[in-house]
Amino acid sequence: LAGDLFDPDTDPNPEGYGSAVDEKNIKLVLAYDGTRYHGWQRQVNGLSIQQVVEEKIATMAGGPVRLHASGRTDAGVHALGQVCHFPYRGRLTPAEFRRGLNSMLPEDIFVVEASSVSPEFHSRHSAKAKTYEYRILNTTEPDIFLRHYVWHISRPLDNGAISQCLARITGRRNFSSFQSAGSSVSNPIRTMHRAEIQRGPGGAIRMIFEADGFLRHMVRNIVGTVVEAGAGKIGPEAFSDILDTCDRSAAGVKAPACGLFLVKVTY
Amino acid sequence: LAGDLFDPDTDPNPEGYGSAVDEKNIKLVLAYDGTRYHGWQRQVNGLSIQQVVEEKIATMAGGPVRLHASGRTDAGVHALGQVCHFPYRGRLTPAEFRRGLNSMLPEDIFVVEASSVSPEFHSRHSAKAKTYEYRILNTTEPDIFLRHYVWHISRPLDNGAISQCLARITGRRNFSSFQSAGSSVSNPIRTMHRAEIQRGPGGAIRMIFEADGFLRHMVRNIVGTVVEAGAGKIGPEAFSDILDTCDRSAAGVKAPACGLFLVKVTY
């Protein structure tokens, strides 16, 4: 792998002038299987995706790197299109980072894309919207091969009831009822652009959520509650009441992490 | 869980007469994810599926049990319908075994069916045919979520060439060329009822093999060789030659275990 620009033996431009030494802003789109990790964010107890990726970038870049992501994902949550960025001074191209990282990263993390972006780009601050998908397997028996990637629910779920609930959360709303207890952000108002359910073959259910932002555990709390409607435990009116109370204790259980995928971040 | 019939405190028929004490022959159909295991067969170094299932049956049956399967599967090979059987004297019903085992087994092993079969039934000796499926992901990029369940091949494979090879292995033949080196059975003749390739969306390829029996590593050796034809390295005529030489060293590489599924055993 190419050396650092400040290595005098390999630097064709040791004075540091010219575009080659400008700080570049490298954007990565990552897919990962969250099963083995304690979430995105670096932490003392347990391996995080951020730590693993930062270490491999550091190996390539020749020094420590701080990777910023569009947001955290919790332990067990997966990503098809997490976006992150890091500053870099050096001669490696984004394509070289992509190839090099994919050869070094463990097989449950993959760099889908790498590109050089403007210095103003920030994976979190520049994000306009995020899309999450929640996957449920609604069959009598579990599927052992999907155990880390779906929430298995054997009780039959009624699509229509879930659809009616999801229709009620689109638009600009206070989502406090679906924010995890113990967490609070200054502004719990979010705009949900899309909230829908799709049924595939073999009992596969996908719920797709696109919003300008999500509160902590918001998708999992929404899914846990609409599933109660799908199972006939609450009606769509009760669901509206839960949304309107802005009180987390009113909502249903939090759906397990394994069914959740961060699909896309839109800029 | 119910006790052993020979426990005098619970046995309503301590003399051992009557149908309740007849030895029953219990048949299980198992699905398992072979990723974590050193194959089906019990061994000293490493956890086997046989050991895990035998131990849970023993817990329910109140004593050690020997489980016979339709055949071994290698480390990393999966099953959708492995069949096994064990002798049992006791009052637990097959449905109780199924429910109890599924509550105790790790989440990568699942009892699909349990039934009481005639004393003559033997999961290996009574088998008439077996069906295996081999899964390939033929896309430029790997899919991290399928890493344990497919062989990822980025080079484009030609369906037609693979189909032509597969057409040549149906019927009654000597499959020595596809038997792993170092192993030999007295009779390498098998009848292949079905050998075909199916393409699904997103680069998914399935090859389905049904035969009256399979030699050691036979499916993986066939797949490794037809993939060479699919990649244009050998032609269908060369494939026929490999089959006809009855010499393992002529064939291609052995396909990785992770793409292989034992789908069904027919009796």
Side-chain angles (χ1 to χ4, degrees):
Chain A
L1 298 173
D4 187 313
L5 257 193
F6 299 101
D7 176 347
D9 289 340
T10 60
D11 189 358
N13 183 10
E15 306 287 315
Y17 297 114
S19 63
V21 296
D22 286 350
E23 185 171 280
K24 281 179 272 192
N25 193 10
I26 308 284
K27 175 190 172 197
L28 302 177
V29 180
L30 300 180
Y32 49 80
D33 178 336
T35 308
R36 279 202 311 136
Y37 299 95
H38 288 234
W40 166 264
Q41 195 173 47
R42 240 182 207 277
Q43 50 185 268
V44 179
N45 306 308
L47 193 65
S48 65
I49 295 138
Q50 182 182 23
Q51 181 188 337
V52 171
V53 182
E54 278 180 350
E55 286 173 0
K56 301 303 182 196
I57 294 174
T59 301
M60 292 189 73
V65 159
R66 178 59 191 271
L67 196 58
H68 299 269
S70 72
R72 307 174 193 179
T73 52
D74 290 315
V77 173
H78 314 293
L80 302 174
Q82 169 70 292
V83 176
C84 51
H85 73 282
F86 64 97
Y88 171 64
R89 287 178 183 273
R91 283 173 307 191
L92 292 175
T93 64
E96 284 165 340
F97 267 113
R98 180 175 185 277
R99 206 160 41 237
L101 290 172
N102 281 336
S103 74
M104 288 192 294
L105 284 167
E107 59 177 5
D108 51 9
I109 303 180
F110 187 73
V111 180
V112 180
E113 285 175 37
S115 54
S116 189
V117 289
S118 81
E120 290 74 34
F121 176 86
H122 189 288
S123 50
R124 183 157 56 90
H125 302 143
S126 312
K128 294 261 188 300
K130 277 188 193 173
T131 307
Y132 278 98
E133 187 173 298
Y134 196 93
R135 299 186 184 171
I136 289 172
L137 182 68
N138 192 24
T139 51
T140 314
E141 305 293 352
D143 179 333
I144 56 170
F145 298 101
L146 296 178
R147 67 195 184 282
H148 298 308
Y149 311 115
V150 296
W151 181 15
H152 175 247
I153 299 177
S154 49
R155 181 170 181 166
L157 297 178
D158 176 39
N159 264 32
I162 293 176
S163 255
Q164 283 182 52
C165 294
L166 294 178
R168 291 167 196 235
I169 60 169
T170 54
R172 187 172 158 79
R173 299 183 182 279
N174 182 328
F175 283 98
S176 296
S177 296
F178 300 111
Q179 173 169 241
S180 262
S183 73
S184 60
V185 291
S186 49
N187 178 8
I189 310 291
R190 294 290 182 276
T191 301
M192 184 72 74
H193 305 304
R194 184 180 171 206
E196 62 181 51
I197 179 170
Q198 296 176 351
R199 239 184 211 277
I205 292 178
R206 294 171 180 224
M207 292 190 215
I208 294 136
F209 301 92
E210 187 195 325
D212 60 356
F214 289 86
L215 306 174
R216 186 158 164 76
H217 296 161
M218 181 169 142
V219 174
R220 292 165 62 191
N221 286 326
I222 291 173
V223 170
T225 309
V226 300
V227 156
E228 292 191 358
K233 291 186 200 164
I234 60 168
E237 292 307 325
F239 181 83
S240 288
D241 292 346
I242 290 166
L243 180 62
D244 294 343
T245 60
C246 297
D247 170 14
R248 169 65 187 116
S249 64
V253 299
K254 182 171 69 182
C258 63
L260 187 59
F261 292 72
L262 171 56
V263 174
K264 194 170 69 170
V265 186
T266 309
Y267 293 94
Chain B
L1 297 173
D4 186 314
L5 256 191
F6 300 98
D7 174 349
D9 289 339
T10 59
D11 189 357
N13 183 10
E15 306 288 317
Y17 297 116
S19 63
V21 295
D22 285 350
E23 184 170 279
K24 281 179 275 194
N25 193 10
I26 308 285
K27 174 190 172 198
L28 302 178
V29 180
L30 300 180
Y32 49 80
D33 177 337
T35 309
R36 279 204 308 138
Y37 299 95
H38 288 233
W40 167 265
Q41 194 174 46
R42 241 182 207 276
Q43 51 185 269
V44 179
N45 304 309
L47 193 65
S48 65
I49 296 137
Q50 182 182 22
Q51 179 188 338
V52 171
V53 181
E54 278 181 349
E55 286 173 0
K56 301 303 181 194
I57 295 174
T59 302
M60 292 188 72
V65 159
R66 177 61 191 269
L67 195 59
H68 299 269
S70 71
R72 308 172 190 179
T73 53
D74 290 316
V77 172
H78 315 292
L80 302 174
Q82 168 71 291
V83 175
C84 52
H85 73 282
F86 64 97
Y88 171 63
R89 288 175 183 275
R91 283 172 307 188
L92 291 175
T93 65
E96 284 165 339
F97 267 113
R98 180 176 186 278
R99 206 160 39 237
L101 289 172
N102 280 335
S103 73
M104 288 191 295
L105 284 167
E107 58 176 7
D108 51 7
I109 304 179
F110 187 74
V111 180
V112 180
E113 284 175 37
S115 55
S116 188
V117 289
S118 82
E120 290 76 31
F121 176 86
H122 189 287
S123 49
R124 182 156 57 92
H125 303 144
S126 312
K128 294 262 188 299
K130 278 188 192 173
T131 307
Y132 278 98
E133 188 174 299
Y134 196 93
R135 299 186 185 171
I136 289 172
L137 182 67
N138 191 24
T139 51
T140 314
E141 305 294 350
D143 180 334
I144 56 170
F145 298 100
L146 296 178
R147 67 195 184 280
H148 297 309
Y149 311 115
V150 296
W151 181 15
H152 174 247
I153 299 177
S154 49
R155 183 171 180 162
L157 297 178
D158 176 40
N159 264 34
I162 293 176
S163 253
Q164 283 182 51
C165 295
L166 295 178
R168 292 166 196 235
I169 60 169
T170 54
R172 187 171 159 79
R173 298 183 182 281
N174 182 329
F175 283 98
S176 297
S177 296
F178 299 111
Q179 173 170 240
S180 261
S183 72
S184 61
V185 293
S186 49
N187 178 8
I189 310 290
R190 296 290 183 276
T191 300
M192 184 72 73
H193 305 304
R194 185 181 171 207
E196 62 183 50
I197 179 170
Q198 297 176 351
R199 241 185 208 276
I205 292 179
R206 294 171 180 224
M207 292 189 215
I208 295 137
F209 301 91
E210 188 194 323
D212 61 356
F214 290 85
L215 306 174
R216 184 156 165 76
H217 297 162
M218 181 171 142
V219 175
R220 292 165 62 190
N221 287 327
I222 291 172
V223 170
T225 308
V226 300
V227 157
E228 293 191 356
K233 291 187 202 165
I234 61 168
E237 292 307 327
F239 182 83
S240 288
D241 292 346
I242 291 167
L243 180 63
D244 293 343
T245 60
C246 298
D247 170 12
R248 168 66 188 114
S249 63
V253 300
K254 183 170 69 178
C258 63
L260 187 60
F261 291 73
L262 171 55
V263 174
K264 195 171 68 171
V265 187
T266 309
Y267 294 94

